[in-house]
């Protein structure tokens, strides 16, 4: 009995051999594998055909030999009947000559003493169709002999020994098999050559597809495939060209967005620097001037004028309040400081109130009932920025006099559907022109929403424009938010 460890090692070796054979087969080109499959089918068909041919040939040889052997007895009887006053010796010689011409059997005539009559004729078979020994062994039946007594006037004068001799028939079968094999070989070679050419033409588009994919891998999105004649491959080429075009457009859009982001960063830095210079510079100068004035009043020989000191202090307080207000505006622009500290609905209401103060000619309304306290920094900041940018566009580009922002959570079904956060901003401005472009603000909103697997849409609302945003909320996040921060009460 084989030890378990040795048996296990043999199983591992067998699996490794199977893997190596599979890897060798997989490493072959597709055209080579197809041709090998066709060749294997041809070999299998040839084996089956050879087996059928051998069986049929064996049956035919047996039938021919039986038929020839069956003619010996009538031939002997006919020869005896036709002879006139035959002597036994002459009759036996006549039979020997007539029986030597039979095919598929060999007949030896013996007299009553058992001596062979006549002589053995040389082998008259043609050497060019001699079957090989292995083929003879496949087809030749077992050797058989049959003795036929020769009787004249009721007295035996000798015997004829009939021996089966299938080589003549086997030679004919061998010649037919060789001719058929040569014809089949030439036909199969022609078919394989035709298949090699056909497979090459059929698989040529796949090589071009591989080259195109290599170019895409190297970030060359100008790759293009011509449509081949095959309908299926033409569909693949069309889809490849569509993907390459989409990747090229995405790359161009990313390039434009990167340039816009760099420009926006520079513009934002320039704007902050200008505001610091225009707003904080005069304030600081005024603070310095008031501080110098207070110092001069304090250094005077006379008693300091309390009224002047109070006026200078009041001016300093006003300047400090102005600096604090501008500082809050700048910080809020960089990062809304209320996010994460107060409920999201309250942050949005504060945003509307701030817009109302800065744009008194436009009415800003909001409806944020049913929102949780927060949905995480990314979602909260995205909702805040999208509403902020949409209202800015409505006032700056649309000339709107009324802007309404709505946000509500739509919970998923009890079967485990995703909850979604829906945001809609409408205005009564001029709407979108037909040739409007995609600016940095719109691109930024779209990028923020799509980064959260959401959808962003901007359309004309007759009048004005409407922005629709849907952001999915993961079930775990939604449950955590609702358990830690229940929905805020409706705002008054």
């Amino acid at each position: 009995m084989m030890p378990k460890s040795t048996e296990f090692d043999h199983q591992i070796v067998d699996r490794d051999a199977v893997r190596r054979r599979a890897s060798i087969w997989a490493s072959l080109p597709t055209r080579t594998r197809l041709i090998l499959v066709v060749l294997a089918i041809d070999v299998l068909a040839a084996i089956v055909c050879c087996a059928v041919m051998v069986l049929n040939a064996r049956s035919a040889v047996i039938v021919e030999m039986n038929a020839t052997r069956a003619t010996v007895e009538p031939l002997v009887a006919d020869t005896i009947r036709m002879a006139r006053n035959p002597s036994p010796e002459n009759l036996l010689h006549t039979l020997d000559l007539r029986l030597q011409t039979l095919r598929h059997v060999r007949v030896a005539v013996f007299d009553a003493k058992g001596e062979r009559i006549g002589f053995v004729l040389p082998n008259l078979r043609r050497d060019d169709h001699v079957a090989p020994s292995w083929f003879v062994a496949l087809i030749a039946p077992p050797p058989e002999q049959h003795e036929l007594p020769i009787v004249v006037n009721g007295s035996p004068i000798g015997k004829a020994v009939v021996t089966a001799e299938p080589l003549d028939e086997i030679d004919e079968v061998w010649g037919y098999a060789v001719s058929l094999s040569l014809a089949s070989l030439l036909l199969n070679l022609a078919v394989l050559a035709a298949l090699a050419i056909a497979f090459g033409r059929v698989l040529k588009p796949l090589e071009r597809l591989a080259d195109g994919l290599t170019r895409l891998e190297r970030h060359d999105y100008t790759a293009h495939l011509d449509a081949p004649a095959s309908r299926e491959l033409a569909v693949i080429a069309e889809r490849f060209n569509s993907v390459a075009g989409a990747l090229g457009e995405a790359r161009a859009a990313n390039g434009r967005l990167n340039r816009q982001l760099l420009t926006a960063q520079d513009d934002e830095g320039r704007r902050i620097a200008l505001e610091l210079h225009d707003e904080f510079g005069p304030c600081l100068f005024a603070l310095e001037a008031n501080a110098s004035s207070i110092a001069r009043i304090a250094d005077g020989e006379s008693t300091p004028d309390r009224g002047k000191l109070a006026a200078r202090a009041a001016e300093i307080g006003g300047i400090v309040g102005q600096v604090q207000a501008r500082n809050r505006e700048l910080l809020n622009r960089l990062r809304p400081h209320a996010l994460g500290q107060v409920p999201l609905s309250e942050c949005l209401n504060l945003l509307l109130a701030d817009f109302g103060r800065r744009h008194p000619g436009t009415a800003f309304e909001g409806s944020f009932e049913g929102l949780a306290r927060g949905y995480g920094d990314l979602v909260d900041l995205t909702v805040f920025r999208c509403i902020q940018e949409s209202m800015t566009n409505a006032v700056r580009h649309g000339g709107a006099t009324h802007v309404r922002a709505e946000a509500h959570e739509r919970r998923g079904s009890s079967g485990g559907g995703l909850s979604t956060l829906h945001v809609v901003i409408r205005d009564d401005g001029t709407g979108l022109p037909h040739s409007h472009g995609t600016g940095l603000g719109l691109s930024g909103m779209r990028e923020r929403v799509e980064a959260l697997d959401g959808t962003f849409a901007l359309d004309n609302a007759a009048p004005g424009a409407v922005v629709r945003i849907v952001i999915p909320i993961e079930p775990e996040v939604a449950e955590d938010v609702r358990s830690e921060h229940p929905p805020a009460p409706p705002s008054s």
Side-chain angles (χ1 to χ4, degrees):
M1 182 177 180
M2 183 181 294
K4 292 184 177 180
S5 59
T6 306
E7 183 179 357
F8 182 72
D9 293 339
H10 281 294
Q11 292 177 356
I12 294 177
V13 172
D14 293 340
R15 286 197 295 268
D16 292 340
V18 171
R19 291 195 192 97
R20 283 196 298 271
R21 287 194 293 268
S23 62
I24 293 174
W25 173 257
S27 64
L28 294 177
T30 302
R31 180 168 62 177
T32 303
R33 283 188 284 175
L34 291 175
I35 293 176
L36 289 177
V37 169
V38 174
L39 187 60
I41 294 174
D42 283 345
V43 171
L44 181 61
I47 293 174
V48 173
C49 290
C50 290
V52 173
M53 185 176 63
V54 168
L55 293 176
N56 290 337
R58 178 175 292 183
S59 300
V61 168
I62 294 175
V63 169
E64 287 290 336
M65 287 191 304
N66 291 335
T68 304
R69 188 169 54 193
T71 63
V72 173
E73 186 173 353
L75 183 61
V76 171
D78 184 65
T79 303
I80 294 172
R81 187 176 59 252
M82 292 179 62
R84 294 180 180 181
N85 299 321
S87 65
E89 184 178 356
N90 291 335
L91 182 60
L92 291 177
H93 278 286
T94 302
L95 286 174
D96 182 65
L97 290 176
R98 296 192 67 181
L99 295 177
Q100 289 296 333
T101 60
L102 295 178
R103 300 176 72 249
H104 310 311
V105 292
R106 294 291 179 264
V107 182
V109 179
F110 296 88
D111 58 14
K113 297 179 181 180
E115 295 181 359
R116 178 77 164 83
I117 300 299
F119 56 91
V120 180
L121 293 176
N123 193 349
L124 300 178
R125 293 186 297 117
R126 291 171 295 177
D127 294 335
D128 55 347
H129 281 181
V130 175
S133 58
W134 61 268
F135 189 76
V136 174
L138 284 176
I139 295 180
E144 294 182 4
Q145 280 190 349
H146 177 68
E147 292 186 1
L148 177 65
I150 301 174
V151 181
V152 177
N153 296 326
S155 300
I157 63 173
K159 63 179 180 180
V161 179
V162 183
T163 304
E165 184 60 50
L167 293 180
D168 292 335
E169 185 69 20
I170 293 176
D171 285 344
E172 294 179 3
V173 174
W174 172 253
Y176 173 75
V178 170
S179 301
L180 182 61
S181 299
L182 290 176
S184 300
L185 178 61
L186 294 177
L187 179 61
N188 283 329
L189 290 177
V191 170
L192 288 176
L195 288 177
I197 297 174
F199 287 154
R201 292 185 177 180
V202 171
L203 298 176
K204 189 66 175 179
L206 295 181
E207 296 178 2
R208 292 197 292 268
L209 176 62
D211 294 338
L213 292 174
T214 302
R215 293 177 61 184
L216 289 184
E217 186 181 4
R218 296 172 180 172
H219 306 290
D220 180 8
Y221 303 127
T222 60
H224 180 81
L225 297 181
D226 297 329
S230 174
R231 182 178 62 182
E232 293 80 3
L233 295 179
V235 172
I236 295 176
E238 181 182 357
R239 297 293 183 271
F240 174 87
N241 294 332
S242 300
V243 170
L247 290 175
E249 293 177 0
R251 183 180 184 181
N254 286 336
R256 290 192 300 269
L257 183 60
N258 288 332
R259 289 191 294 270
Q260 290 175 349
L261 288 175
L262 292 176
T263 302
Q265 290 176 355
D266 294 339
D267 292 342
E268 185 68 18
R270 189 180 302 108
R271 186 163 50 250
I272 292 175
L274 184 60
E275 291 186 7
L276 289 175
H277 179 272
D278 293 343
E279 299 291 339
F280 288 88
C283 291
L284 294 176
F285 178 77
L287 288 175
E288 183 182 5
N290 281 288
S292 300
S293 177
I294 292 175
R296 287 194 300 271
I297 294 174
D299 291 340
E301 297 180 357
S302 59
T303 302
D305 188 346
R306 295 181 180 273
K308 290 182 179 182
L309 291 176
R312 298 295 181 270
E315 289 182 8
I316 291 175
I319 295 171
V320 171
Q322 184 179 356
V323 169
Q324 290 176 341
R326 297 304 299 169
N327 183 59
R328 282 195 299 270
E329 291 181 6
L330 287 175
L331 293 177
N332 193 55
R333 182 187 304 172
L334 296 175
R335 163 75 185 186
H337 63 277
L339 283 179
Q341 306 298 324
V342 298
L344 177 61
S345 58
E346 187 65 26
C347 290
L348 298 179
N349 286 323
L350 293 175
L351 177 64
L352 295 179
D354 182 63
F355 266 89
R357 286 192 301 269
R358 289 190 285 117
H359 304 281
T362 303
F364 296 92
E365 295 182 2
S367 176
F368 311 116
E369 290 83 2
L371 293 180
R373 180 180 179 87
Y375 299 93
D377 289 343
L378 288 178
V379 175
D380 293 352
L381 186 59
T382 298
V383 172
F384 186 92
R385 291 301 189 194
C386 288
I387 294 178
Q388 183 184 44
E389 183 65 28
S390 299
M391 292 193 297
T392 300
N393 290 337
V395 176
R396 181 182 301 170
H397 304 294
T401 60
H402 183 271
V403 181
R404 178 175 177 82
E406 301 175 1
H408 64 278
E409 178 185 347
R410 184 176 298 173
R411 298 189 180 183
S413 61
S414 59
L418 286 177
S419 298
T420 52
L421 191 60
H422 294 255
V423 180
V424 179
I425 305 98
R426 300 176 183 270
D427 65 77
D428 61 352
T430 58
L432 299 174
H434 295 290
S435 59
H436 81 283
T438 303
L440 180 61
L442 294 178
S443 298
M445 286 193 290
R446 188 182 301 276
E447 290 288 337
R448 285 178 181 272
V449 173
E450 291 180 353
L452 298 174
D453 296 329
T455 58
F456 175 88
L458 173 63
D459 300 300
N460 279 318
V466 57
V467 176
R468 293 184 176 89
I469 297 170
V470 178
I471 300 175
I473 303 173
E474 296 294 335
E476 296 82 1
V477 176
E479 289 299 329
D480 292 342
V481 166
R482 282 192 284 268
S483 60
E484 296 179 5
H485 309 290
S491 58
S492 57

